[in-house]
Amino acid sequence: RSALCLAYQNCPHLVDLNHKLKFLRWADFDSRKAALRMIAYWEDRLRVFQDEAFQPLTQAGALRSDADTIAISLLEILPVRDRHQRAILYVDTSIQDRTKYKRQAMLRAVWYELHCALNDEEVQTNGIVAVVYDEKTVLSEFDRKLYKHILHAINHSLPIKIKAIHQCHPNRYVHLVLPVAKFLLGRSLRARFEMHRGSKKEVLRKLQEYGIDAEMLPPDMGGVLKHDRRQMLASRRTRE
């Protein structure tokens, strides 16, 4: 039986109308396209979460054993929107210290973060822009397999609209990993990819042209957004 059939059997409350609407909005209400995406989603969800796949994707549910990894998640939805009312997905590639987490746990943490964004109907409709901060990353931290799994989910199963990817302050190793990274992005995301070099002020000025202001970005990038992730996670856990 398909994973979707198992979901209907084991957690029908998670396959409700709101769940289906996420896929319909992603597919611009093309019902066949939405249905195929939903089937692929549950197959991927079962692979990523295994025995916990039919639990709610919450800190107390399917991710109850992943608190430490969630706290250092590679991807983070910032608590602001850009000027086009799109969610901002901040990616700090320097946190990829594989001595501090297991790849599968980080993949679950990424799924969790993206699902939290998708709980907002506005994000389902307007989509997400990714801002990738690359300056502090070292070559040994580039986890090709992790990125492959994340991008597979974004391209093939999650009902998420990535509107743009802004890679900022590429490090000196970028020429070694960029060909692999662009291949993993796939054709659709490659067309939305931009790279920004220069000083922090120069990069912030370039991002402003795309509707992303300094007030929307953390200090590492020269922004002024004040944000405590652990406090945000505690607040999110209470709401869940």
Side-chain angles (χ1 to χ4, degrees):
R1 286 177 294 177
S2 72
L4 179 56
C5 290
L6 291 172
Y8 275 116
Q9 177 182 327
N10 292 286
C11 56
H13 58 292
L14 297 181
V15 200
D16 60 6
L17 178 60
N18 286 330
H19 182 70
K20 295 170 185 175
L21 280 170
K22 292 176 183 178
F23 293 90
L24 284 166
R25 292 188 181 108
W26 170 83
D28 296 323
F29 288 88
D30 180 330
S31 58
R32 184 178 184 278
K33 188 176 178 181
L36 291 173
R37 188 78 167 194
M38 196 162 115
I39 291 168
Y41 165 87
W42 279 100
E43 295 294 338
D44 269 3
R45 178 163 168 162
L46 185 57
R47 277 192 291 270
V48 172
F49 289 91
Q50 299 177 0
D51 293 342
E52 302 297 327
F54 306 117
Q55 296 295 319
L57 297 193
T58 62
Q59 294 177 57
L63 292 107
R64 59 186 176 276
S65 300
D66 297 321
D68 290 341
T69 307
I70 292 172
I72 58 169
S73 180
L74 170 64
L75 314 184
E76 179 177 17
I77 295 292
L78 298 179
V80 291
R81 298 287 184 265
D82 74 356
R83 280 188 270 115
H84 303 292
Q85 297 306 305
R86 301 172 298 191
I88 300 174
L89 178 66
Y90 183 63
V91 185
D92 182 354
T93 57
S94 70
I95 65 93
Q96 295 175 91
D97 182 348
R98 280 177 275 175
T99 65
K100 296 180 179 178
Y101 64 83
K102 294 181 179 179
R103 181 182 292 134
Q104 197 68 15
M106 182 58 77
L107 184 58
R108 291 192 295 268
V110 167
W111 269 64
Y112 169 71
E113 196 70 20
L114 294 175
H115 274 77
C116 289
L118 286 170
N119 287 333
D120 187 332
E121 184 177 325
E122 192 173 71
V123 174
Q124 297 171 31
T125 302
N126 296 337
I128 291 173
V129 292
V131 177
V132 183
Y133 178 57
D134 236 4
E135 190 172 35
K136 299 178 182 179
T137 306
V138 298
L139 185 59
S140 60
E141 292 172 343
F142 180 69
D143 189 342
R144 181 181 181 276
K145 289 184 178 179
L146 177 61
Y147 279 111
K148 180 180 179 180
H149 288 304
I150 293 170
L151 291 169
H152 171 84
I154 289 173
N155 280 319
H156 299 289
S157 61
L158 290 170
I160 189 169
K161 297 179 179 180
I162 300 294
K163 295 296 187 177
I165 300 174
H166 299 280
Q167 184 178 17
C168 303
H169 304 290
N171 59 65
R172 58 179 175 162
Y173 306 108
V174 68
H175 66 285
L176 297 176
V177 301
L178 190 60
V180 175
K182 281 194 168 184
F183 173 77
L184 293 175
L185 284 174
R187 182 183 301 175
S188 178
L189 291 182
R190 277 198 299 272
R192 296 175 169 84
F193 178 86
E194 298 284 346
M195 182 180 289
H196 307 294
R197 303 174 186 269
S199 67
K200 283 185 166 51
K201 285 186 178 180
E202 289 171 334
V203 170
L204 286 174
R205 191 160 51 245
K206 291 174 184 176
L207 290 174
Q208 278 186 319
E209 297 174 8
Y210 295 91
I212 305 170
D213 300 322
E215 293 78 12
M216 304 167 184
L217 295 168
D220 278 348
M221 286 196 60
V224 295
L225 178 68
K226 294 181 179 179
H227 174 51
D228 185 325
R229 179 161 177 80
R230 289 190 179 275
Q231 184 178 354
M232 181 275 294
L233 286 172
S235 175
R236 189 188 282 173
R237 184 184 179 97
T238 300
R239 294 195 304 271
E240 292 173 349

